[in-house]
Amino acid sequence: MDNMLRSAVLSVAGNRAVRSFFRKYGMRLGVARFVASEQLEAALDVVLRLNRQGLMVTLDYLGESVTDRALAEEAADQAVLTLRRIAERKLNANVSVKLTQLGLTIDPAFCESMMSRILDEAARTGNFVRIDMEDSSVVQATVDLFEKLLKRYGPKRVGLVLQAYLYRTQADRERLGSQGVNVRIVKGAYKEPKEVAFPRKKDVDANYVRLVEAHLAQGCYTAVATHDEAIIKQTIHYARKKGISPERFEFQMLYGIAGELQLRLVRDGYRVRVYTPFGEAWYPYFTRRIAERPANLWFVLKGMFRA
Ligand code: FDA
């Protein structure tokens, strides 16, 4: 049922009329709950506010599925600028990127050169860049390019996201775990066929826990990215039982979601990082947030009546 609802929301969101309506009125209709700002400097002000509350941040310049080299170059420039401004403002933040925003589907070699620009800046400023994982049509290409970059820049500079809903992820995690990769584990946010992904939420959740525990057991830094309190409790319990220090992992949550839980974990001494998107291309990101929890549509409807 959960998955059916999620698929339905993602299908409606693809409709041209719905898309253009939201592009026009979205920021007023509640998108601002999930997106820090359309501009970098204002987003950095949000980072400062979060840092003051004890939260770390990963900044994401919104955009994906780019088919134009100039747009991919612009996205790479934004990521470089973001890293530079984080260092200049001495913020506790790193950067997340999507390879399809950096030209992966145009030409992987071109995308690699965009990533090199970004990772050179990360090396210069002593920071870290995480590659988000997108839909299953680009997972193999993303993993391939990540492994190439890993050889050049090492696990302190670049990390990857793995999705618990994919059958292939156990094997990917094992291979990356043996290379000491810093992995963010998520459930997975795209509409996927049952040939590649567990259709039942119960199986996704069970796989999620297995992946987190295996990555921690292997001694790798692990980003546990979920708002699922049962999984968060289970992770804390596992770490305590195995004597794994809270320095060896972090919880990650999305900007605008479960704020109270984020602060509670900080008070309890855990590292918490908030995934904070900014930029004008927020539509696909926003629709995935609605699809995860269709109750979020209430925010949109309330915004409509206020507008
Ligand atoms: P689940 O969906 O079971 O939700 C648990 C509880 O969290 C719900 O009961 C609800 O209370 C709350 N919740 C969840 N989603 C909510 C929402 N949208 N609004 C309000 N409350 C909500 N995916 C991907 O495919 N590639 C990626 O690179 C990333 N990156 C990423 C980074 C970070 C930091 C996070 C937290 C998530 C991602 N994701 C992602 C998204 C991820 O795959 C997944 O879709 C969401 O995290 C929602 O699933 P939960 O793990 O929160 O569990």
Side-chain angles (χ1 to χ4, degrees), residues 133 163 184 187-189 201 226-227 289 292-293 296:
M133 192 58 85
Q163 297 156 321
R184 173 200 297 153
K187 290 191 185 178
K201 181 169 162 41
T226 182
H227 315 95
R289 303 297 75 86
E292 277 153 10
R293 192 162 180 264
N296 283 339

Side-chain angles (χ1 to χ4, degrees), residues 42 49 83 98 101 143 174 236 294 299:
R49 180 169 58 75
L83 286 161
K98 286 187 174 53
Q101 186 185 18
V143 172
E174 273 169 36
I236 292 172
F299 283 90

Side-chain angles (χ1 to χ4, degrees), residues 6 33-34 58 98 131-134 161 163 165 184 186-190 201 205 208 225-229 252-254 257-258 273-275 288-290 292-293 296:
R6 200 171 70 149
R33 181 189 161 194
F34 301 109
T58 186
K98 286 187 174 53
I131 298 177
D132 285 350
M133 192 58 85
E134 302 177 68
V161 176
Q163 297 156 321
Y165 63 14
R184 173 200 297 153
V186 301
K187 290 191 185 178
Y190 298 83
K201 181 169 162 41
D205 291 357
Y208 190 105
T226 182
H227 315 95
D228 186 327
E229 286 209 54
Q252 295 191 349
M253 292 182 218
L254 300 176
I257 301 177
R273 189 178 300 275
V274 183
Y275 186 103
R288 287 195 292 276
R289 303 297 75 86
I290 300 289
E292 277 153 10
R293 192 162 180 264
N296 283 339

Side-chain angles (χ1 to χ4, degrees), residues 116-163:
S116 303
R117 252 153 78 172
I118 298 169
L119 289 170
D120 286 345
E121 184 65 12
R124 199 185 66 78
T125 53
N127 211 332
F128 174 83
V129 176
R130 166 104 45 205
I131 298 177
D132 285 350
M133 192 58 85
E134 302 177 68
D135 72 80
S136 60
S137 70
V138 292
V139 169
Q140 188 60 51
T142 302
V143 172
D144 289 345
L145 183 46
F146 168 75
E147 294 199 70
K148 258 179 140 177
L149 294 166
L150 180 69
K151 284 204 185 83
R152 271 172 58 205
Y153 292 93
K156 290 238 166 327
R157 212 53 72 207
V158 63
L160 189 65
V161 176
L162 292 178
Q163 297 156 321

Side-chain angles (χ1 to χ4, degrees), residues 25-79:
Y25 301 110
M27 264 328 215
R28 270 193 274 156
L29 296 181
V31 173
R33 181 189 161 194
F34 301 109
V35 174
S37 163
E38 291 195 336
Q39 309 303 329
L40 172 62
E41 286 307 317
L44 294 170
D45 294 340
V46 171
V47 175
L48 180 62
R49 180 169 58 75
L50 294 168
N51 282 173
R52 284 184 173 148
Q53 294 177 294
L55 297 159
M56 308 181 291
V57 171
T58 186
L59 271 171
D60 165 50
Y61 175 60
L62 289 161
E64 52 201 86
S65 309
V66 159
T67 51
D68 176 341
R69 280 175 194 251
L71 283 178
E73 300 217 8
E74 193 255 336
D77 289 346
Q78 270 290 334

